[in-house]
Amino acid sequence: MALDGLRPDERIAPARDLRAHLEHWSRVTGIAVEVWALPRESLAAPVAELVQATVLDLLNGFEADGTVRHVGFALTTGARGLRLTVSGDGIGLPPGRLAERLHAYRARFAALGGRLSVNTVLGGGITVSAALKPSGTGRPPRRHR
């Protein structure tokens, strides 16, 4: 799916919405959230929706796990594209339903030319990382002079 050429009104700013959601989720669940990075610029709506859906499913999975006490979150964009990292310190294995959903997100990121990986350490937590090249984010790549 090509996302190039989106009009400005088809772009949304994830930073405000994601930060507010992370803070609210932390208050409700009692799970600490450390936000390492959020982008200043807007993301194309389809990319922002994919990122938000992925993050919301991860948070729901962390909450359902019952062993997660701390979550780390980073979302960056730049000349190399988009990078998303979400880590939880729980038992390290995603619950069955979350594992299935992560396979679906892996396919959705791949359809945009990106990737999603899941790294677990038994008893040491889980880290989900995703990346999209600039062409998959709906933003033209920056040219160096």
Side-chain angles (χ1 to χ4, degrees), residues 50-75:
L50 175 57
V51 167
Q52 289 176 349
T54 304
V55 170
L56 293 179
D57 265 355
L58 285 169
L59 294 178
N60 287 335
F62 290 161
E63 183 178 1
D65 174 273
T67 65
V68 176
R69 297 290 170 245
H70 184 267
V71 171
F73 177 87
L75 175 63

PDB file of all heavy atoms in Angstrom, residues 50-75:
ATOM      1  N   LEU A  50      -2.012   2.057  12.663  1.00  0.00           N
ATOM      2  CA  LEU A  50      -1.308   0.789  12.869  1.00  0.00           C
ATOM      3  C   LEU A  50      -0.483   0.842  14.148  1.00  0.00           C
ATOM      4  O   LEU A  50      -0.517  -0.090  14.959  1.00  0.00           O
ATOM      5  CB  LEU A  50      -0.424   0.458  11.666  1.00  0.00           C
ATOM      6  CG  LEU A  50       0.468  -0.774  11.786  1.00  0.00           C
ATOM      7  CD1 LEU A  50      -0.353  -2.026  12.094  1.00  0.00           C
ATOM      8  CD2 LEU A  50       1.295  -0.948  10.518  1.00  0.00           C
ATOM      9  N   VAL A  51       0.245   1.924  14.355  1.00  0.00           N
ATOM     10  CA  VAL A  51       1.054   2.075  15.565  1.00  0.00           C
ATOM     11  C   VAL A  51       0.159   2.051  16.797  1.00  0.00           C
ATOM     12  O   VAL A  51       0.431   1.330  17.763  1.00  0.00           O
ATOM     13  CB  VAL A  51       1.892   3.370  15.501  1.00  0.00           C
ATOM     14  CG1 VAL A  51       2.491   3.706  16.869  1.00  0.00           C
ATOM     15  CG2 VAL A  51       2.993   3.241  14.454  1.00  0.00           C
ATOM     16  N   GLN A  52      -0.914   2.823  16.781  1.00  0.00           N
ATOM     17  CA  GLN A  52      -1.799   2.879  17.938  1.00  0.00           C
ATOM     18  C   GLN A  52      -2.446   1.526  18.217  1.00  0.00           C
ATOM     19  O   GLN A  52      -2.524   1.106  19.367  1.00  0.00           O
ATOM     20  CB  GLN A  52      -2.849   3.968  17.757  1.00  0.00           C
ATOM     21  CG  GLN A  52      -2.247   5.349  17.858  1.00  0.00           C
ATOM     22  CD  GLN A  52      -3.236   6.462  17.589  1.00  0.00           C
ATOM     23  OE1 GLN A  52      -4.346   6.239  17.123  1.00  0.00           O
ATOM     24  NE2 GLN A  52      -2.821   7.685  17.867  1.00  0.00           N
ATOM     25  N   ALA A  53      -2.902   0.831  17.177  1.00  0.00           N
ATOM     26  CA  ALA A  53      -3.515  -0.487  17.383  1.00  0.00           C
ATOM     27  C   ALA A  53      -2.510  -1.460  17.974  1.00  0.00           C
ATOM     28  O   ALA A  53      -2.841  -2.227  18.897  1.00  0.00           O
ATOM     29  CB  ALA A  53      -4.061  -1.025  16.061  1.00  0.00           C
ATOM     30  N   THR A  54      -1.274  -1.431  17.480  1.00  0.00           N
ATOM     31  CA  THR A  54      -0.225  -2.314  17.990  1.00  0.00           C
ATOM     32  C   THR A  54       0.042  -2.021  19.461  1.00  0.00           C
ATOM     33  O   THR A  54       0.091  -2.934  20.293  1.00  0.00           O
ATOM     34  CB  THR A  54       1.070  -2.151  17.166  1.00  0.00           C
ATOM     35  OG1 THR A  54       0.794  -2.388  15.781  1.00  0.00           O
ATOM     36  CG2 THR A  54       2.153  -3.097  17.637  1.00  0.00           C
ATOM     37  N   VAL A  55       0.197  -0.754  19.784  1.00  0.00           N
ATOM     38  CA  VAL A  55       0.489  -0.354  21.165  1.00  0.00           C
ATOM     39  C   VAL A  55      -0.666  -0.721  22.094  1.00  0.00           C
ATOM     40  O   VAL A  55      -0.446  -1.269  23.186  1.00  0.00           O
ATOM     41  CB  VAL A  55       0.809   1.154  21.238  1.00  0.00           C
ATOM     42  CG1 VAL A  55       0.885   1.633  22.685  1.00  0.00           C
ATOM     43  CG2 VAL A  55       2.117   1.447  20.508  1.00  0.00           C
ATOM     44  N   LEU A  56      -1.897  -0.457  21.674  1.00  0.00           N
ATOM     45  CA  LEU A  56      -3.044  -0.766  22.531  1.00  0.00           C
ATOM     46  C   LEU A  56      -3.137  -2.261  22.803  1.00  0.00           C
ATOM     47  O   LEU A  56      -3.402  -2.673  23.944  1.00  0.00           O
ATOM     48  CB  LEU A  56      -4.334  -0.256  21.902  1.00  0.00           C
ATOM     49  CG  LEU A  56      -4.460   1.268  21.799  1.00  0.00           C
ATOM     50  CD1 LEU A  56      -5.775   1.639  21.127  1.00  0.00           C
ATOM     51  CD2 LEU A  56      -4.325   1.935  23.143  1.00  0.00           C
ATOM     52  N   ASP A  57      -2.905  -3.095  21.778  1.00  0.00           N
ATOM     53  CA  ASP A  57      -2.934  -4.541  22.003  1.00  0.00           C
ATOM     54  C   ASP A  57      -1.812  -4.976  22.943  1.00  0.00           C
ATOM     55  O   ASP A  57      -2.007  -5.845  23.792  1.00  0.00           O
ATOM     56  CB  ASP A  57      -2.842  -5.305  20.685  1.00  0.00           C
ATOM     57  CG  ASP A  57      -4.204  -5.697  20.146  1.00  0.00           C
ATOM     58  OD1 ASP A  57      -5.222  -5.462  20.830  1.00  0.00           O
ATOM     59  OD2 ASP A  57      -4.260  -6.247  19.045  1.00  0.00           O
ATOM     60  N   LEU A  58      -0.643  -4.378  22.795  1.00  0.00           N
ATOM     61  CA  LEU A  58       0.464  -4.715  23.697  1.00  0.00           C
ATOM     62  C   LEU A  58       0.119  -4.344  25.134  1.00  0.00           C
ATOM     63  O   LEU A  58       0.338  -5.138  26.056  1.00  0.00           O
ATOM     64  CB  LEU A  58       1.749  -4.013  23.260  1.00  0.00           C
ATOM     65  CG  LEU A  58       2.423  -4.601  22.043  1.00  0.00           C
ATOM     66  CD1 LEU A  58       3.518  -3.674  21.536  1.00  0.00           C
ATOM     67  CD2 LEU A  58       2.992  -5.979  22.362  1.00  0.00           C
ATOM     68  N   LEU A  59      -0.420  -3.148  25.335  1.00  0.00           N
ATOM     69  CA  LEU A  59      -0.778  -2.730  26.688  1.00  0.00           C
ATOM     70  C   LEU A  59      -1.838  -3.654  27.285  1.00  0.00           C
ATOM     71  O   LEU A  59      -1.742  -4.040  28.450  1.00  0.00           O
ATOM     72  CB  LEU A  59      -1.270  -1.280  26.689  1.00  0.00           C
ATOM     73  CG  LEU A  59      -0.231  -0.218  26.326  1.00  0.00           C
ATOM     74  CD1 LEU A  59      -0.874   1.165  26.323  1.00  0.00           C
ATOM     75  CD2 LEU A  59       0.978  -0.265  27.237  1.00  0.00           C
ATOM     76  N   ASN A  60      -2.823  -4.021  26.482  1.00  0.00           N
ATOM     77  CA  ASN A  60      -3.846  -4.959  26.966  1.00  0.00           C
ATOM     78  C   ASN A  60      -3.217  -6.296  27.335  1.00  0.00           C
ATOM     79  O   ASN A  60      -3.572  -6.906  28.341  1.00  0.00           O
ATOM     80  CB  ASN A  60      -4.945  -5.149  25.927  1.00  0.00           C
ATOM     81  CG  ASN A  60      -5.847  -3.942  25.820  1.00  0.00           C
ATOM     82  OD1 ASN A  60      -5.980  -3.167  26.755  1.00  0.00           O
ATOM     83  ND2 ASN A  60      -6.453  -3.774  24.657  1.00  0.00           N
ATOM     84  N   GLY A  61      -2.266  -6.760  26.522  1.00  0.00           N
ATOM     85  CA  GLY A  61      -1.572  -8.009  26.814  1.00  0.00           C
ATOM     86  C   GLY A  61      -0.730  -7.914  28.069  1.00  0.00           C
ATOM     87  O   GLY A  61      -0.711  -8.840  28.895  1.00  0.00           O
ATOM     88  N   PHE A  62      -0.043  -6.794  28.265  1.00  0.00           N
ATOM     89  CA  PHE A  62       0.756  -6.595  29.469  1.00  0.00           C
ATOM     90  C   PHE A  62      -0.137  -6.589  30.709  1.00  0.00           C
ATOM     91  O   PHE A  62       0.192  -7.172  31.737  1.00  0.00           O
ATOM     92  CB  PHE A  62       1.538  -5.284  29.401  1.00  0.00           C
ATOM     93  CG  PHE A  62       2.661  -5.274  28.404  1.00  0.00           C
ATOM     94  CD1 PHE A  62       3.187  -4.080  27.956  1.00  0.00           C
ATOM     95  CD2 PHE A  62       3.204  -6.444  27.896  1.00  0.00           C
ATOM     96  CE1 PHE A  62       4.231  -4.048  27.048  1.00  0.00           C
ATOM     97  CE2 PHE A  62       4.244  -6.427  26.980  1.00  0.00           C
ATOM     98  CZ  PHE A  62       4.756  -5.228  26.560  1.00  0.00           C
ATOM     99  N   GLU A  63      -1.281  -5.928  30.607  1.00  0.00           N
ATOM    100  CA  GLU A  63      -2.202  -5.879  31.733  1.00  0.00           C
ATOM    101  C   GLU A  63      -2.741  -7.272  32.048  1.00  0.00           C
ATOM    102  O   GLU A  63      -2.784  -7.682  33.212  1.00  0.00           O
ATOM    103  CB  GLU A  63      -3.354  -4.934  31.406  1.00  0.00           C
ATOM    104  CG  GLU A  63      -4.330  -4.744  32.526  1.00  0.00           C
ATOM    105  CD  GLU A  63      -5.428  -3.759  32.190  1.00  0.00           C
ATOM    106  OE1 GLU A  63      -5.461  -3.226  31.065  1.00  0.00           O
ATOM    107  OE2 GLU A  63      -6.270  -3.535  33.073  1.00  0.00           O
ATOM    108  N   ALA A  64      -3.112  -8.008  31.022  1.00  0.00           N
ATOM    109  CA  ALA A  64      -3.651  -9.366  31.215  1.00  0.00           C
ATOM    110  C   ALA A  64      -2.599 -10.322  31.763  1.00  0.00           C
ATOM    111  O   ALA A  64      -2.931 -11.247  32.503  1.00  0.00           O
ATOM    112  CB  ALA A  64      -4.200  -9.909  29.890  1.00  0.00           C
ATOM    113  N   ASP A  65      -1.342 -10.074  31.431  1.00  0.00           N
ATOM    114  CA  ASP A  65      -0.247 -10.940  31.888  1.00  0.00           C
ATOM    115  C   ASP A  65      -0.204 -11.012  33.405  1.00  0.00           C
ATOM    116  O   ASP A  65       0.010 -12.073  33.990  1.00  0.00           O
ATOM    117  CB  ASP A  65       1.072 -10.397  31.316  1.00  0.00           C
ATOM    118  CG  ASP A  65       2.292 -11.111  31.831  1.00  0.00           C
ATOM    119  OD1 ASP A  65       2.806 -10.705  32.893  1.00  0.00           O
ATOM    120  OD2 ASP A  65       2.728 -12.077  31.183  1.00  0.00           O
ATOM    121  N   GLY A  66      -0.404  -9.891  34.053  1.00  0.00           N
ATOM    122  CA  GLY A  66      -0.424  -9.867  35.510  1.00  0.00           C
ATOM    123  C   GLY A  66       0.937  -9.794  36.180  1.00  0.00           C
ATOM    124  O   GLY A  66       1.014  -9.596  37.384  1.00  0.00           O
ATOM    125  N   THR A  67       2.025  -9.962  35.419  1.00  0.00           N
ATOM    126  CA  THR A  67       3.355  -9.891  36.024  1.00  0.00           C
ATOM    127  C   THR A  67       4.121  -8.635  35.611  1.00  0.00           C
ATOM    128  O   THR A  67       5.193  -8.369  36.145  1.00  0.00           O
ATOM    129  CB  THR A  67       4.209 -11.125  35.648  1.00  0.00           C
ATOM    130  OG1 THR A  67       4.455 -11.130  34.246  1.00  0.00           O
ATOM    131  CG2 THR A  67       3.503 -12.415  36.068  1.00  0.00           C
ATOM    132  N   VAL A  68       3.591  -7.873  34.668  1.00  0.00           N
ATOM    133  CA  VAL A  68       4.269  -6.661  34.183  1.00  0.00           C
ATOM    134  C   VAL A  68       4.073  -5.544  35.193  1.00  0.00           C
ATOM    135  O   VAL A  68       2.947  -5.257  35.616  1.00  0.00           O
ATOM    136  CB  VAL A  68       3.734  -6.246  32.795  1.00  0.00           C
ATOM    137  CG1 VAL A  68       4.355  -4.933  32.340  1.00  0.00           C
ATOM    138  CG2 VAL A  68       4.012  -7.341  31.771  1.00  0.00           C
ATOM    139  N   ARG A  69       5.168  -4.932  35.600  1.00  0.00           N
ATOM    140  CA  ARG A  69       5.131  -3.811  36.540  1.00  0.00           C
ATOM    141  C   ARG A  69       5.710  -2.540  35.947  1.00  0.00           C
ATOM    142  O   ARG A  69       5.530  -1.459  36.484  1.00  0.00           O
ATOM    143  CB  ARG A  69       5.905  -4.156  37.823  1.00  0.00           C
ATOM    144  CG  ARG A  69       5.303  -5.321  38.577  1.00  0.00           C
ATOM    145  CD  ARG A  69       3.962  -4.914  39.183  1.00  0.00           C
ATOM    146  NE  ARG A  69       3.258  -6.062  39.713  1.00  0.00           N
ATOM    147  CZ  ARG A  69       2.103  -6.525  39.232  1.00  0.00           C
ATOM    148  NH1 ARG A  69       1.529  -5.963  38.212  1.00  0.00           N
ATOM    149  NH2 ARG A  69       1.512  -7.559  39.775  1.00  0.00           N
ATOM    150  N   HIS A  70       6.419  -2.674  34.817  1.00  0.00           N
ATOM    151  CA  HIS A  70       7.064  -1.514  34.185  1.00  0.00           C
ATOM    152  C   HIS A  70       7.045  -1.697  32.675  1.00  0.00           C
ATOM    153  O   HIS A  70       7.361  -2.779  32.176  1.00  0.00           O
ATOM    154  CB  HIS A  70       8.502  -1.373  34.679  1.00  0.00           C
ATOM    155  CG  HIS A  70       9.175  -0.156  34.143  1.00  0.00           C
ATOM    156  ND1 HIS A  70       9.931  -0.187  33.001  1.00  0.00           N
ATOM    157  CD2 HIS A  70       9.171   1.126  34.569  1.00  0.00           C
ATOM    158  CE1 HIS A  70      10.389   1.034  32.759  1.00  0.00           C
ATOM    159  NE2 HIS A  70       9.939   1.846  33.685  1.00  0.00           N
ATOM    160  N   VAL A  71       6.673  -0.626  31.967  1.00  0.00           N
ATOM    161  CA  VAL A  71       6.659  -0.620  30.504  1.00  0.00           C
ATOM    162  C   VAL A  71       7.513   0.543  30.023  1.00  0.00           C
ATOM    163  O   VAL A  71       7.434   1.650  30.565  1.00  0.00           O
ATOM    164  CB  VAL A  71       5.216  -0.470  29.966  1.00  0.00           C
ATOM    165  CG1 VAL A  71       5.197  -0.244  28.462  1.00  0.00           C
ATOM    166  CG2 VAL A  71       4.384  -1.694  30.328  1.00  0.00           C
ATOM    167  N   GLY A  72       8.336   0.287  29.015  1.00  0.00           N
ATOM    168  CA  GLY A  72       9.112   1.330  28.354  1.00  0.00           C
ATOM    169  C   GLY A  72       8.578   1.514  26.951  1.00  0.00           C
ATOM    170  O   GLY A  72       8.188   0.547  26.287  1.00  0.00           O
ATOM    171  N   PHE A  73       8.548   2.757  26.477  1.00  0.00           N
ATOM    172  CA  PHE A  73       7.936   3.060  25.192  1.00  0.00           C
ATOM    173  C   PHE A  73       8.766   4.096  24.446  1.00  0.00           C
ATOM    174  O   PHE A  73       9.157   5.117  25.014  1.00  0.00           O
ATOM    175  CB  PHE A  73       6.525   3.616  25.421  1.00  0.00           C
ATOM    176  CG  PHE A  73       5.822   4.019  24.163  1.00  0.00           C
ATOM    177  CD1 PHE A  73       5.093   3.094  23.449  1.00  0.00           C
ATOM    178  CD2 PHE A  73       5.908   5.311  23.691  1.00  0.00           C
ATOM    179  CE1 PHE A  73       4.449   3.455  22.276  1.00  0.00           C
ATOM    180  CE2 PHE A  73       5.279   5.685  22.528  1.00  0.00           C
ATOM    181  CZ  PHE A  73       4.544   4.753  21.819  1.00  0.00           C
ATOM    182  N   ALA A  74       9.020   3.840  23.164  1.00  0.00           N
ATOM    183  CA  ALA A  74       9.686   4.824  22.303  1.00  0.00           C
ATOM    184  C   ALA A  74       9.101   4.753  20.905  1.00  0.00           C
ATOM    185  O   ALA A  74       8.909   3.664  20.361  1.00  0.00           O
ATOM    186  CB  ALA A  74      11.188   4.563  22.244  1.00  0.00           C
ATOM    187  N   LEU A  75       8.813   5.914  20.343  1.00  0.00           N
ATOM    188  CA  LEU A  75       8.372   6.040  18.958  1.00  0.00           C
ATOM    189  C   LEU A  75       9.139   7.204  18.363  1.00  0.00           C
ATOM    190  O   LEU A  75       9.053   8.323  18.858  1.00  0.00           O
ATOM    191  CB  LEU A  75       6.862   6.300  18.890  1.00  0.00           C
ATOM    192  CG  LEU A  75       6.283   6.558  17.503  1.00  0.00           C
ATOM    193  CD1 LEU A  75       6.461   5.333  16.595  1.00  0.00           C
ATOM    194  CD2 LEU A  75       4.806   6.935  17.598  1.00  0.00           C
TER     195      LEU A  75
END
